[in-house]
């Protein structure tokens, strides 16, 4: 390749004038930005970050004294990536927030094209209802509201309840496909008893005449943590993967695909004292610590985490996890989108 020599001052001035002239016609020179547009390796804007629950819990509770769930529609503190301030993003494609619902409150029924997940963190006695079926929310439960399903939440218990919301809001905003509708009723009528969908679809069986179109949402919308824990406990008797420990992927039980087409979700256990080898992948990932304490080393910087802490690993950042006490982690990312487009890559050191 020929070495580039710096252009003469006169040439530089002529180019700058030219750029200013073409800008008035809404054009710009590709050659000034080409390297940044197609970099040799991913250059995400998002940066690593951690929200320690012990430090943010008080702010979440204060929101409960300032606004009702009804007035807010959803009383949520958005977890903003520090490099994406004001954009309601935790990664370029995903949104995350901490939602609070107090005893006696309801978050009214609505639906939207954005897909949502809940990961229950704190308190007991709340429920979420999806398309006419309620589910009691327990710590660690992974609950989904697929695109365009009606959903509302309520708290029938005596304690504040907090969960993590994950949505594909930035992705749908980018695509220009965000629509929402409010229901006339604040709570949906109960069409089926609690546990119905899990019994019908979540026990390695489906109704005999059930057929699913690839675009249909998963018929199961709750993945109880008790079942995840039991699976992780049993498989922890074998040898851990050197890069991932014991890691499982949540699926739509009727298809084996991701529960929602835009958000992939995972559960992972690391035995006490275990340290993973560096691993990176192109899907920026949000992690939640459900049990234990550990360190997340992200591109060389160490972040200590404990129960209910949330941290984000941007695309193509090397992650090393160390479990100081046996750790279980929940995580989610846009991996199914990347895989559907043939873009997903991983690298194991
Ligand atoms: C939403 O519908 C919920 O249903 C939570 O709990 C967070 C953030 C943006 C848009 C819709 C919920 C949301 C949301």
């Amino acid at each position: 390749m020929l070495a580039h020599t710096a252009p003469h001052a006169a040439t530089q001035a002529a180019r700058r004038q030219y750029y200013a002239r073409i800008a008035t016609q809404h054009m710009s020179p590709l050659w000034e930005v080409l390297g940044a547009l197609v970099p040799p390796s991913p250059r995400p804007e998002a940066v690593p970050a951690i929200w320690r629950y012990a430090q943010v819990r008080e702010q979440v509770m204060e929101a409960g004294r300032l606004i009702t769930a009804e007035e807010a529609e959803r009383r949520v503190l958005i977890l903003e990536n520090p490099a994406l301030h004001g954009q309601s993003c935790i990664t370029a494609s995903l949104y995350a927030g901490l939602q609070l619902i107090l005893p006696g409150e309801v978050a009214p029924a609505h639906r939207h094209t954005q897909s949502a997940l809940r990961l229950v963190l704190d308190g007991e006695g709340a429920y979420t209802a999806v398309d006419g079926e309620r589910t009691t929310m327990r710590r660690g439960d992974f609950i989904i509201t697929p695109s365009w399903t009606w959903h509302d939440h309520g708290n029938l218990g005596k304690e504040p309840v907090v969960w993590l919301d994950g949505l594909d809001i930035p992705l749908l905003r980018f695509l220009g496909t965000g629509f929402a509708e409010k229901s006339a009723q604040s709570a949906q009528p109960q069409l089926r008893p609690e546990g119905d969908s899990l019994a019908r679809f979540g026990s390695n069986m489906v109704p005999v005449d059930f057929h699913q179109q690839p675009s249909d949402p998963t018929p199961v919308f709750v993945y109880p943590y008790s079942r995840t824990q039991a699976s992780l406990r049993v498989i922890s008797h074998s040898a851990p993967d050197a890069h991932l420990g014991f890691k499982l992927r949540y699926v739509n039980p009727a298809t084996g695909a991701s529960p929602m087409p835009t958000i992939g979700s995972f559960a992972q256990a690391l035995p006490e004292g275990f340290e993973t080898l560096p691993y990176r992948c192109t899907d920026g990932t949000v992690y939640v610590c459900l049990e234990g304490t550990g360190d997340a080393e992200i591109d060389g910087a160490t972040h200590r985490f404990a129960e209910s802490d949330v941290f984000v690993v941007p695309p193509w950042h090397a992650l090393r996890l160390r479990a100081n006490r046996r750790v279980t982690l929940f995580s989610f990312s846009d991996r199914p989108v990347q895989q559907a487009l043939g873009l997903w890559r991983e690298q194991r050191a």
Side-chain angles (χ1 to χ4, degrees):
M1 221 159 95
L2 290 174
H4 284 285
T5 51
H8 293 298
T11 308
Q12 279 181 335
R15 286 180 187 171
R16 270 199 306 276
Q17 283 171 19
Y18 171 70
Y19 298 163
R21 256 186 291 128
I22 64 174
T24 67
Q25 288 169 279
H26 310 294
M27 294 187 285
S28 65
L30 172 63
W31 58 88
E32 291 288 337
V33 293
L34 184 55
L37 287 181
V38 285
S41 63
R43 261 187 227 165
E45 265 183 72
V47 292
I50 183 164
W51 291 263
R52 293 188 174 86
Y53 192 66
Q55 290 168 15
V56 300
R57 186 179 189 277
E58 185 45 40
Q59 319 300 327
V60 174
M61 294 303 156
E62 190 173 346
R65 298 188 286 274
L66 291 171
I67 191 165
T68 65
E70 191 100 44
E71 189 185 354
E73 188 166 343
R74 296 294 186 266
R75 189 203 287 113
V76 183
L77 297 189
I78 302 170
L79 305 184
E80 284 198 318
N81 191 287
L84 303 170
H85 178 66
Q87 299 178 43
S88 305
C89 297
I90 191 158
T91 69
S93 61
L94 294 170
Y95 158 105
L98 293 172
Q99 180 158 177
L100 168 68
I101 188 156
L102 295 173
E105 287 190 324
V106 294
H110 69 192
R111 61 179 178 174
H112 36 70
T113 51
Q114 290 86 354
S115 299
L117 67 83
R118 333 269 165 213
L119 202 274
V120 184
L121 293 179
D122 196 5
E124 280 181 13
Y127 68 85
T128 191
V130 178
D131 273 352
E133 185 178 331
R134 283 187 183 180
T135 294
T136 302
M137 303 174 97
R138 298 183 182 87
R139 182 175 160 81
D141 286 354
F142 165 51
I143 299 168
I144 63 175
T145 49
S147 178
W148 212 241
T149 53
W150 291 108
H151 54 283
D152 55 85
H153 321 296
N155 187 342
L156 305 171
K158 296 187 173 67
E159 306 171 352
V161 174
V162 178
W163 63 81
L164 180 82
D165 289 313
L167 288 92
D168 54 10
I169 289 173
L171 180 66
L172 270 70
R173 182 166 59 200
F174 177 77
L175 298 172
T177 53
F179 295 89
E181 186 181 0
K182 290 185 193 193
S183 172
Q185 305 142 304
S186 79
Q188 298 171 62
Q190 281 179 257
L191 304 178
R192 292 180 301 281
E194 176 158 2
D196 189 90
S197 68
L198 200 57
R200 278 180 210 275
F201 300 97
S203 311
N204 294 323
M205 295 180 281
V206 295
V208 64
D209 54 358
F210 176 75
H211 294 286
Q212 184 157 44
Q213 297 302 315
S215 57
D216 288 343
T218 162
V220 159
F221 56 88
V222 58
Y223 299 77
Y225 188 47
S226 54
R227 290 191 181 188
T228 303
Q229 280 177 306
S231 297
L232 290 173
R233 285 268 172 214
V234 171
I235 66 173
S236 293
H237 296 305
S238 59
D241 180 277
H243 296 85
L244 303 171
F246 302 97
K247 188 165 184 176
L248 300 173
R249 168 168 71 83
Y250 286 96
V251 297
N252 173 344
T255 63
S258 169
M260 298 186 288
T262 50
I263 309 177
S265 41
F266 311 88
Q268 186 173 6
L270 306 170
E272 182 166 316
F274 186 72
E275 185 171 10
T276 63
L277 293 176
Y279 172 91
R280 62 180 178 171
C281 50
T282 50
D283 50 325
T285 305
V286 180
Y287 287 84
V288 186
C289 174
L290 286 171
E291 288 169 64
T293 58
D295 294 303
E297 193 186 304
I298 308 171
D299 268 3
T302 299
H303 308 266
R304 176 140 300 182
F305 63 81
E307 281 187 7
S308 301
D309 292 353
V310 179
F311 60 92
V312 57
V313 181
W316 218 234
H317 279 51
L319 173 66
R320 271 195 102 160
L321 293 165
R322 211 169 12 253
N324 301 326
R325 287 193 9 242
R326 183 183 185 275
V327 161
T328 61
L329 296 170
F330 171 84
S331 57
F332 69 96
S333 76
D334 63 12
R335 185 175 301 185
V337 178
Q338 297 195 15
Q339 289 180 326
L341 301 177
L343 298 171
W344 186 71
R345 287 198 199 185
E346 63 177 345
Q347 193 176 56
R348 292 159 191 251

